[in-house]
Amino acid sequence: MELEKLNLKGLEEKRPIVIAGPCSAETEEQVLSTAHALADRGVKIFRAGIWKPRTKPGGFEGMGKDGLPWMKRVKEETGMLITTEVATPAHVEQALEAGIDLLWIGARTSANPFAMQDLADALKGVDIPVLVKNPVNPDLELWIGAMERLNNAGIKRLGAIHRGFSSYDKSIYRNLPQWHIPIELRRRIPELPIFCDPSHIGGKRELVAPLCQQAMDIGFDGLIVESHCNPDNAWSDAKQQVTPEILDYILSLLVIRNEQMTTENLNELRKQIDECDNKLIEILSKRMRVAREIGMYKKEHNMTILQTDRYTEILEKRGAQGALCGIGSDCVKNIFETIHEESVHQQMEIINK
């Protein structure tokens, strides 16, 4: 992709760039009260949902274009840049007419290539920064594809928002962080700014602070946080919003690590990592040779490849071993699921010969 800096109208782009404001624009008083409180604490970009996608009908779906004049007042009275989510070409047209400075595209929209192309067509010839949230499901190619559609339409000031991924598994998070996905995005497109949305990842206000710090530790460029003047009475996502005062406190405690620090002193330790990795590959190769021998035995004795009891035993034992060795059991489980998948693949090749 051909990208330029976000270049948010002279805003100093030092880490973290902070975007904050309520989940939804509810009333003029609520919008202005929150915006002034955030501006007084140094926040330069104000966010509020004008159009709110809802899973089921009947919930608060935003004020629509009636809320856009409130955003204009925020800009006039505080000097803050203003941003909102768009999901249709009509949203884009109305947001641009209202002087919105920055657009973002939500997770449900970024998962739909037809919707993304419609937005790309609507934005063709417009020079405005656009941030794209990851799709609901953990699909990096879909995320990149959504941004490529905008880039092909001439949008050069692009950024990504990591808001976590949906899962049926029980978790402390509303949406699983799966940090490896935005990390891979950074590896693939290093010039792309990445923002973290701790509100949607956590789903609870007490998780906002640690998630902000984790995002900074990984090297994210910014944060987009839901902040409301009276979060307990918010019309949407009340549990994950923090007051401007609490957000200011969270930001004041952030440790921003030096990205430019030389890594020469790590070379010796990295050599040790390389040696460990080489040994891991050798051990995995040996394990696959044994798996193929097992596959041959199963073929000769007309046995099914999948032995569920054995697979469960491996996951349970290795997870317990990992925990004893200071490795997260989920991490070990994921590793051995991948190893088992490859072992099955190797045995299938043997049986089908």
Side-chain angles (χ1 to χ4, degrees):
M1 286 192 284
E2 184 183 343
L3 300 178
E4 299 173 0
K5 284 189 174 182
L6 283 181
N7 190 24
L8 298 170
K9 295 188 177 178
L11 182 71
E12 186 180 358
E13 294 182 12
K14 65 177 183 178
R15 296 176 63 234
I17 302 170
V18 177
I19 302 171
C23 172
S24 305
E26 301 164 357
T27 66
E28 187 170 25
E29 180 184 3
Q30 169 249 6
V31 167
L32 291 169
S33 175
T34 305
H36 278 284
L38 289 167
D40 290 345
R41 288 162 177 81
V43 176
K44 304 297 183 184
I45 311 175
F46 180 77
R47 58 143 290 157
I50 296 296
W51 301 276
K52 297 301 299 179
R54 282 290 168 259
T55 302
K56 295 181 179 180
F60 176 61
E61 296 185 337
M63 293 302 297
K65 63 181 181 181
D66 291 344
L68 288 170
W70 310 340
M71 300 289 280
K72 291 180 71 173
R73 277 197 63 187
V74 167
K75 191 173 180 178
E76 292 164 358
E77 293 182 16
T78 69
M80 300 170 85
L81 302 179
I82 51 176
T83 178
T84 196
E85 177 180 346
V86 293
T88 70
H91 294 169
V92 170
E93 181 182 358
Q94 292 167 18
L96 294 177
E97 287 178 358
I100 297 291
D101 299 291
L102 170 69
L103 302 176
W104 87 78
I105 296 170
R108 292 175 177 86
T109 309
S110 66
N112 184 338
F114 294 110
M116 285 305 307
Q117 190 58 54
D118 286 343
L119 290 175
D121 293 341
L123 286 164
K124 197 163 188 175
V126 178
D127 181 21
I128 189 170
V130 181
L131 306 179
V132 181
K133 287 194 173 186
N134 61 261
V136 209
N137 296 320
D139 188 335
L140 178 58
E141 298 306 325
L142 194 58
W143 195 3
I144 293 174
M147 290 183 280
E148 285 179 340
R149 290 178 185 276
L150 296 171
N151 195 235
N152 291 341
I155 300 296
K156 305 302 180 187
R157 292 190 285 162
L158 276 171
I161 300 175
H162 171 229
R163 50 79 76 191
F165 302 90
S166 296
S167 172
Y168 289 112
D169 296 333
K170 288 185 178 180
S171 168
I172 63 170
Y173 302 109
R174 177 179 177 183
N175 295 291
L176 296 178
Q178 298 205 42
W179 296 106
H180 65 283
I181 295 177
I183 287 172
E184 175 61 13
L185 178 65
R186 170 56 53 84
R187 188 189 72 81
R188 297 262 293 270
I189 315 174
E191 68 274 22
L192 180 74
I194 303 180
F195 289 72
C196 178
D197 179 349
S199 307
H200 279 89
I201 293 176
K204 296 184 284 287
R205 59 179 64 104
E206 57 266 29
L207 293 177
V208 169
L211 285 165
C212 286
Q213 186 60 60
Q214 288 176 62
M216 291 300 98
D217 291 344
I218 291 171
F220 281 20
D221 301 275
L223 302 165
I224 178 166
V225 187
E226 291 187 348
S227 180
H228 191 294
C229 57
N230 186 9
D232 288 332
N233 293 311
W235 295 3
S236 59
D237 287 346
K239 292 181 180 179
Q240 66 191 41
Q241 301 191 63
V242 296
T243 63
E245 294 80 8
I246 292 297
L247 177 59
D248 186 50
Y249 180 67
I250 289 170
L251 296 176
S252 73
L253 296 178
L254 282 181
V255 178
I256 309 301
R257 307 187 194 283
N258 190 347
E259 290 183 294
Q260 310 303 323
M261 193 73 172
T262 179
T263 59
E264 288 181 8
N265 294 336
L266 293 175
N267 287 344
E268 189 56 42
L269 291 173
R270 285 176 171 171
K271 285 180 183 177
Q272 293 180 41
I273 289 286
D274 290 341
E275 290 173 7
C276 291
D277 288 347
N278 290 334
K279 289 177 182 177
L280 283 173
I281 295 295
E282 291 173 6
I283 291 169
L284 283 173
S285 177
K286 181 178 179 180
R287 193 187 194 281
M288 292 306 156
R289 285 198 299 271
V290 175
R292 289 193 292 272
E293 289 179 18
I294 292 173
M296 184 63 70
Y297 180 90
K298 289 176 180 176
K299 181 177 182 178
E300 292 171 352
H301 293 80
N302 200 28
M303 296 171 63
T304 60
I305 291 176
L306 181 60
Q307 303 288 314
T308 307
D309 291 344
R310 171 62 176 159
Y311 181 35
T312 301
E313 178 189 355
I314 288 172
L315 292 182
E316 289 178 352
K317 282 187 175 180
R318 301 302 175 257
Q321 280 182 279
L324 288 172
C325 294
I327 307 172
S329 58
D330 285 345
C331 173
V332 174
K333 179 175 177 285
N334 291 336
I335 290 170
F336 275 90
E337 283 177 347
T338 302
I339 290 173
H340 183 263
E341 182 180 345
E342 178 61 21
S343 297
V344 168
H345 173 71
Q346 298 270 347
Q347 291 182 25
M348 287 181 69
E349 287 192 339
I350 293 293
I351 286 179
N352 291 324
K353 276 185 178 179

